[in-house]
PDB file of all heavy atoms in Angstrom:
ATOM      1  N   GLY A 385       9.812 250.118 302.478  1.00 95.00           N
ATOM      2  CA  GLY A 385       9.152 249.332 301.467  1.00 95.00           C
ATOM      3  C   GLY A 385       7.580 249.606 301.426  1.00 95.00           C
ATOM      4  O   GLY A 385       6.967 249.785 302.413  1.00 95.00           O
ATOM      5  N   LEU A 386       6.995 249.496 300.174  1.00 97.00           N
ATOM      6  CA  LEU A 386       5.656 249.759 299.922  1.00 97.00           C
ATOM      7  C   LEU A 386       4.786 248.573 300.177  1.00 97.00           C
ATOM      8  O   LEU A 386       5.186 247.471 299.734  1.00 97.00           O
ATOM      9  CB  LEU A 386       5.351 250.378 298.589  1.00 97.00           C
ATOM     10  CG  LEU A 386       6.268 251.586 298.117  1.00 97.00           C
ATOM     11  CD1 LEU A 386       6.080 251.937 296.683  1.00 97.00           C
ATOM     12  CD2 LEU A 386       5.863 252.746 299.022  1.00 97.00           C
ATOM     13  N   ASP A 387       3.584 248.667 300.720  1.00 97.00           N
ATOM     14  CA  ASP A 387       2.720 247.592 300.786  1.00 97.00           C
ATOM     15  C   ASP A 387       1.791 247.673 299.543  1.00 97.00           C
ATOM     16  O   ASP A 387       1.968 248.497 298.643  1.00 97.00           O
ATOM     17  CB  ASP A 387       1.846 247.506 301.990  1.00 97.00           C
ATOM     18  CG  ASP A 387       0.837 248.703 302.238  1.00 97.00           C
ATOM     19  OD1 ASP A 387       0.560 249.340 301.150  1.00 97.00           O
ATOM     20  OD2 ASP A 387       0.453 249.073 303.313  1.00 97.00           O
ATOM     21  N   ALA A 388       0.980 246.683 299.213  1.00 97.00           N
ATOM     22  CA  ALA A 388       0.155 246.622 297.974  1.00 97.00           C
ATOM     23  C   ALA A 388      -0.593 247.938 297.749  1.00 97.00           C
ATOM     24  O   ALA A 388      -0.580 248.495 296.535  1.00 97.00           O
ATOM     25  CB  ALA A 388      -0.762 245.346 297.979  1.00 97.00           C
ATOM     26  N   ALA A 389      -1.250 248.466 298.716  1.00 97.00           N
ATOM     27  CA  ALA A 389      -2.026 249.705 298.552  1.00 97.00           C
ATOM     28  C   ALA A 389      -1.278 250.788 298.165  1.00 97.00           C
ATOM     29  O   ALA A 389      -1.417 251.680 297.265  1.00 97.00           O
ATOM     30  CB  ALA A 389      -2.890 250.036 299.689  1.00 97.00           C
ATOM     31  N   GLU A 390      -0.057 250.952 298.801  1.00 97.00           N
ATOM     32  CA  GLU A 390       0.871 252.177 298.637  1.00 97.00           C
ATOM     33  C   GLU A 390       1.487 251.960 297.187  1.00 97.00           C
ATOM     34  O   GLU A 390       1.673 252.927 296.457  1.00 97.00           O
ATOM     35  CB  GLU A 390       1.989 252.084 299.631  1.00 97.00           C
ATOM     36  CG  GLU A 390       1.569 252.568 300.983  1.00 97.00           C
ATOM     37  CD  GLU A 390       2.478 252.174 302.141  1.00 97.00           C
ATOM     38  OE1 GLU A 390       3.321 251.305 302.014  1.00 97.00           O
ATOM     39  OE2 GLU A 390       2.425 252.789 303.252  1.00 97.00           O
ATOM     40  N   LEU A 391       1.838 250.837 296.862  1.00 98.00           N
ATOM     41  CA  LEU A 391       2.342 250.497 295.544  1.00 98.00           C
ATOM     42  C   LEU A 391       1.406 250.816 294.411  1.00 98.00           C
ATOM     43  O   LEU A 391       1.777 251.526 293.305  1.00 98.00           O
ATOM     44  CB  LEU A 391       2.782 248.977 295.452  1.00 98.00           C
ATOM     45  CG  LEU A 391       3.414 248.597 294.005  1.00 98.00           C
ATOM     46  CD1 LEU A 391       4.719 249.387 293.697  1.00 98.00           C
ATOM     47  CD2 LEU A 391       3.665 247.135 293.955  1.00 98.00           C
ATOM     48  N   SER A 392       0.174 250.535 294.676  1.00 97.00           N
ATOM     49  CA  SER A 392      -0.821 250.843 293.580  1.00 97.00           C
ATOM     50  C   SER A 392      -0.941 252.408 293.489  1.00 97.00           C
ATOM     51  O   SER A 392      -1.126 252.870 292.356  1.00 97.00           O
ATOM     52  CB  SER A 392      -2.165 250.077 293.959  1.00 97.00           C
ATOM     53  OG  SER A 392      -3.325 250.958 293.677  1.00 97.00           O
ATOM     54  N   GLU A 393      -0.986 253.130 294.555  1.00 98.00           N
ATOM     55  CA  GLU A 393      -1.026 254.580 294.447  1.00 98.00           C
ATOM     56  C   GLU A 393       0.178 255.120 293.840  1.00 98.00           C
ATOM     57  O   GLU A 393       0.101 256.028 293.037  1.00 98.00           O
ATOM     58  CB  GLU A 393      -1.034 255.065 295.949  1.00 98.00           C
ATOM     59  CG  GLU A 393      -2.152 255.950 296.283  1.00 98.00           C
ATOM     60  CD  GLU A 393      -2.120 256.350 297.750  1.00 98.00           C
ATOM     61  OE1 GLU A 393      -1.360 257.149 298.086  1.00 98.00           O
ATOM     62  OE2 GLU A 393      -2.893 255.625 298.567  1.00 98.00           O
TER      63      GLU A 393
END
Side-chain angles (χ1 to χ4, degrees):
L386 307 175
D387 65 23
E390 289 163 337
L391 178 59
S392 143
E393 236 173 80

